[in-house]
């Protein structure tokens, strides 16, 4: 197996919220090690698409396979598949009743039966990596937003996922804290992690994305390299969107 | 999607317990102080100035206090078990479970507790299967079933008050639905659930006086026994009322202390 096989395959996916069509015939294939950034106006379906990949949203038709496994097939255990998919949320969603260390060790200990000492060691090295080892023993409520999000990234990494999904990871942050979170994400990207990122951070997209995807009204409107996107977008809707935010 | 950094715990106010004193509410705080020490003062005053009959009554009551606590504690334990099952049932996506839990709550909430006590002890007691059911057991079962329905609502609201993002985070790590409930939701929901449970405990303790009609010698019945032997109705029931008051006020203080402790991981 080399680094170019598709690790996520999304085929003809439709999703409705009542009358509202959230995803309309979306197909997308993401290779192992690839960094894909999804952009688009709010309500374009980009978060829904991302959340469909680990079945936080169930799709109405089409198929999504992760590492060769159809995530909606009854024979596949979604909880096993989700262990391969780290997820980072806009609102962090750290477990407030656990310390930072507890947040990182809980899933490996309960789900992978990793011994406590080993889980702690690994957690501390991850906290090192995201630059907040000194906060290991505090509760999340004591941390700033940027620190919380970095812990959330470390928590997802603690399960050794093959893929990381980011759902607007910096949208809830004060501007001065966005940088520290993006830095961690850039480091992760450099290490070769497969990443799917929904974001409005165009600087990040330009720097790390292999491919940028523009979505609008539940459809993929345009796909291309960052260079193509930011210098020469083809579709009028993409042009309009980019002109509004850049 | 709106970001929620630290969702403040929702307070569930059932409103049938004693008023829980909190520091912020200084009027109530003072009222608590006045009533609690006032009641103790009156008890002491009566026992010192008129030991006959008050001191004699006070010595007659402790057996009843013990029984009242036995009924209350056992009933609350049963109601917690039923409440957790009911609360989870009410939140279940399984329609049958949901319907069973909701029906239980509707039935129990629609029948007065006194009638339920009569029903379980006297009506069901006529059936062969329940013959010889001791009054104490009937009392605990009836109170437990009744409060289980209310407790179910407390659990449901407590679980519901936890931000949906918590479950999503847990599920995305690979936790099953049950593990998510066990390791993430319930440990947080306790904080919201415990104060109303404490409140229910106090309410149940007061309602437990109803079991005196089932020949369970609780605090009220002991007072009644004393009164009917001595014909000192005023004196006996005065002491019973004062003792109830001291107990419930003491417990409500405990609940408010517990509530403060439970906020340990929240930044103010």
């Amino acid at each position: 197996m080399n680094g170019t096989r598709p690790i996520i395959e999304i085929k003809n996916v439709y999703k409705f919220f009542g009358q509202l069509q959230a995803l309309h015939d979306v197909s997308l294939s993401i290779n192992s090690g690839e960094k894909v950034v999804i952009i688009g106006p709010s309500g374009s379906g980009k978060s829904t698409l991302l959340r469909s990949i680990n079945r936080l949203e169930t799709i109405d038709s089409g198929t999504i396979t992760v590492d060769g496994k159809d995530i909606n097939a009854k024979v596949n255990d979604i909880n096993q598949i989700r262990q391969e998919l780290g997820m980072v949320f806009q609102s962090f969603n750290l477990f407030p009743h656990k310390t930072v260390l507890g947040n990182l060790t809980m899933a490996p200990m309960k789900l992978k039966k990793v011994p406590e000492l080993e889980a702690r060691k690994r957690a501390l090295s991850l906290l090192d990596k995201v630059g907040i080892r000194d906060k290991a023993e505090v509760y999340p409520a004591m941390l700033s937003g940027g620190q919380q999000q970095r812990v959330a990234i470390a928590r997802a990494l603690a399960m050794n996922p093959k893929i990381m999904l980011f759902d607007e990871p910096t949208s809830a942050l004060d501007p001065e804290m966005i940088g520290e979170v993006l830095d961690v994400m850039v480091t992760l990207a450099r290490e070769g992690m497969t990443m799917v990122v929904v974001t409005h951070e165009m600087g990040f997209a330009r720097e790390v994305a292999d491919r940028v995807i523009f979505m609008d009204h539940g459809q993929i409107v345009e796909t291309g390299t960052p260079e193509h996107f930011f210098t020469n977008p083809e579709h009028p809707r993409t042009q309009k969107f980019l002109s509004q935010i850049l | 999607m709106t970001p929620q950094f630290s969702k403040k715990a929702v307070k569930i106010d059932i409103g049938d317990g004693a008023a829980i004193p909190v520091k912020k509410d200084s009027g109530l705080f003072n009222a608590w102080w006045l009533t609690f020490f006032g009641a103790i003062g009156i008890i002491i005053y009566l026992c010192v100035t008129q030991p006959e009959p008050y001191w004699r009554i006070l010595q007659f009551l402790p057996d009843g206090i013990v029984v009242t606590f036995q009924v209350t504690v056992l009933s609350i334990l049963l109601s917690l078990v039923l409440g957790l099952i009911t609360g989870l049932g009410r939140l279940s996506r399984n329609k049958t479970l949901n319907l069973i839990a909701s029906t239980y709550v509707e039935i129990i909430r629609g029948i007065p507790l006194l009638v339920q006590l009569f029903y379980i002890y006297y009506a069901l007691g006529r059936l062969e299967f329940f013959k010889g059911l001791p009054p104490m057991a009937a009392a605990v079962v009836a109170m437990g079933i009744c409060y289980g329905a209310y407790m179910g609502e407390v659990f449901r609201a407590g679980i519901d008050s936890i931000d949906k993002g918590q479950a999503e985070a847990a599920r995305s790590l690979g936790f099953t639905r049950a593990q998510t409930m066990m390791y993430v939701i319930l440990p947080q929901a306790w904080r919201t659930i415990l104060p109303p449970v404490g409140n229910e405990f106090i309410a149940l303790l007061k309602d437990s006086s109803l079991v005196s009609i089932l020949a369970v010698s609780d605090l009220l019945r002991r007072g009644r026994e004393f009164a009917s032997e001595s014909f000192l109705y005023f004196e006996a029931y005065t002491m019973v009322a004062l003792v109830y008051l001291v107990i419930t006020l003491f417990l409500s203080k405990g609940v408010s202390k517990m509530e403060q402790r439970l906020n340990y991981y929240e930044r103010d």
Side-chain angles (χ1 to χ4, degrees):
Chain A
M1 294 269 171
N2 57 37
T4 56
R5 86 203 146 99
I7 194 160
I8 301 174
E9 279 201 285
I10 298 166
K11 277 189 192 146
N12 308 109
V13 166
Y14 286 79
K15 160 88 186 166
F16 295 87
F17 289 118
Q19 289 294 307
L20 184 85
Q21 189 158 31
L23 295 174
H24 181 86
D25 196 16
V26 174
S27 295
L28 175 66
S29 171
I30 296 170
N31 289 332
S32 185
E34 199 178 6
K35 293 101 187 79
V36 173
V37 170
I38 305 174
I39 60 173
S42 63
S44 60
K46 55 193 193 307
S47 280
T48 307
L49 178 63
L50 189 82
R51 289 161 56 83
S52 301
I53 296 173
N54 70 353
R55 221 172 85 183
L56 285 183
E57 301 288 352
T58 50
I59 56 176
D60 293 316
S61 71
T63 56
I64 296 177
T65 57
V66 171
D67 208 9
K69 296 191 192 90
D70 181 347
I71 63 159
N72 290 301
K74 284 237 163 64
V75 290
N76 293 324
D77 180 4
I78 185 62
N79 300 310
Q80 285 294 326
I81 296 172
R82 280 178 177 149
Q83 294 186 19
E84 307 290 333
L85 291 158
M87 177 109 179
V88 177
F89 300 87
Q90 181 180 357
S91 46
F92 329 135
N93 298 342
L94 291 178
F95 304 134
H97 61 301
K98 295 276 180 190
T99 61
V100 165
L101 204 61
N103 267 274
L104 267 66
T105 55
M106 188 164 87
M109 282 170 61
K110 302 279 188 205
L111 297 173
K112 290 186 164 170
K113 309 288 171 212
V114 176
E116 186 176 358
L117 227 69
E118 204 184 314
R120 284 175 69 98
K121 230 174 103 187
R122 166 125 177 92
L124 287 172
S125 81
L126 284 168
L127 288 175
D128 247 343
K129 182 174 177 162
V130 300
I132 31 177
R133 190 188 175 122
D134 55 319
K135 302 287 185 192
E137 302 296 340
V138 310
Y139 286 94
M142 303 302 290
L143 302 177
S144 72
Q147 291 171 326
Q148 288 196 49
Q149 193 61 299
R150 286 187 280 153
V151 173
I153 294 171
R155 176 178 67 180
L157 291 173
M159 287 297 281
N160 278 320
K162 289 188 178 137
I163 303 158
M164 285 286 284
L165 309 175
F166 293 85
D167 189 4
E168 303 203 26
T170 57
S171 299
L173 295 175
D174 291 335
E176 74 270 21
M177 292 171 181
I178 291 175
E180 62 192 65
V181 171
L182 290 180
D183 285 347
V184 170
M185 291 170 64
V186 169
T187 309
L188 205 55
R190 299 255 157 81
E191 288 171 3
M193 176 64 77
T194 308
M195 291 165 70
V196 187
V197 185
V198 171
T199 187
H200 296 294
E201 292 299 324
M202 295 305 143
F204 174 80
R206 211 184 295 234
E207 190 176 344
V208 306
D210 296 312
R211 202 159 25 131
V212 178
I213 288 166
F214 174 67
M215 285 186 75
D216 197 13
H217 298 298
Q219 286 176 299
I220 293 178
V221 176
E222 192 164 348
T223 298
T225 61
E227 199 192 0
H228 159 85
F229 244 85
F230 296 114
T231 56
N232 192 20
E234 279 163 26
H235 202 283
R237 270 193 284 177
T238 318
Q239 290 166 359
K240 186 163 173 256
F241 177 73
L242 289 172
S243 72
Q244 279 164 346
I245 60 159
L246 286 177
Chain B
M1 284 235 280
T2 50
Q4 284 168 319
F5 305 117
S6 70
K7 185 166 170 163
K8 280 276 171 206
V10 173
K11 238 175 229 168
I12 307 162
D13 198 2
I14 303 294
D16 55 355
I20 296 178
V22 282
K23 278 256 161 56
K24 276 177 259 172
D25 192 349
S26 65
L28 185 60
F29 188 68
N30 290 333
W32 180 89
W33 212 89
L34 187 69
T35 321
F36 183 69
F37 290 102
I40 289 178
I42 293 171
I43 292 175
I44 293 171
Y45 174 78
L46 289 173
C47 288
V48 170
T49 59
Q50 305 168 55
E52 178 56 37
Y54 288 110
W55 177 237
R56 197 151 58 88
I57 298 170
L58 196 64
Q59 285 173 306
F60 192 77
L61 295 180
D63 290 354
I65 296 174
V66 170
V67 172
T68 289
F69 269 95
Q70 279 172 346
V71 172
T72 307
V73 170
L74 292 174
S75 305
I76 210 92
L77 290 177
L78 178 61
S79 78
L80 283 173
V81 173
L82 291 173
L84 179 60
I85 295 170
T86 311
L88 290 174
R90 296 261 286 163
L91 290 166
S92 170
R93 297 195 305 179
N94 181 318
K95 289 214 171 88
T96 318
L97 283 179
N98 205 314
L99 190 67
I100 292 171
S102 304
T103 309
Y104 161 59
V105 173
E106 287 302 327
I107 291 173
I108 296 302
R109 289 218 282 202
I111 303 172
L113 177 55
L114 188 56
V115 176
Q116 289 178 40
L117 282 165
F118 269 80
Y119 195 82
I120 287 185
Y121 186 60
Y122 293 111
L124 292 184
R126 305 285 292 192
L127 303 175
E128 200 55 47
F129 185 75
F130 292 104
K131 272 244 167 78
L133 185 69
M136 178 78 166
V140 168
V141 168
M143 304 272 304
I145 289 177
C146 176
Y147 271 75
Y150 292 94
M151 220 58 106
E153 288 307 280
V154 171
F155 274 93
R156 188 189 60 75
I159 291 167
D160 228 19
S161 74
I162 304 303
D163 183 42
K164 296 286 167 284
Q166 289 292 309
E168 288 189 347
R171 298 306 304 278
S172 76
L173 285 165
F175 285 105
T176 63
R177 207 170 272 284
Q179 288 169 325
T180 299
M181 193 52 81
M182 187 94 139
Y183 300 131
V184 176
I185 308 297
L186 285 178
Q188 294 184 58
W190 279 122
R191 207 165 47 117
T192 322
I193 288 170
L194 266 179
V197 165
N199 237 344
E200 290 293 278
F201 183 90
I202 296 166
L204 201 154
L205 186 133
K206 289 186 289 178
D207 278 351
S208 76
S209 60
L210 291 170
V211 306
S212 58
I213 56 130
L214 303 190
V216 175
S217 7
D218 73 327
L219 177 51
L220 175 58
R221 192 170 179 98
R222 289 291 284 177
R224 206 168 93 187
E225 282 166 11
F226 188 95
S228 56
E229 277 171 25
S230 63
F231 300 104
L232 297 168
Y233 290 96
F234 178 82
E235 292 82 352
Y237 288 128
T238 300
M239 285 307 267
V240 166
L242 285 168
V243 169
Y244 268 117
L245 191 57
V246 169
I247 292 172
T248 53
L249 286 171
F250 179 76
L251 289 173
S252 67
K253 189 72 171 175
V255 170
S256 93
K257 284 263 183 271
M258 173 180 76
E259 199 172 13
Q260 286 164 16
R261 284 254 172 101
L262 285 169
N263 288 326
Y264 67 97
Y265 57 73
E266 232 174 62
R267 178 168 57 176
D268 271 331

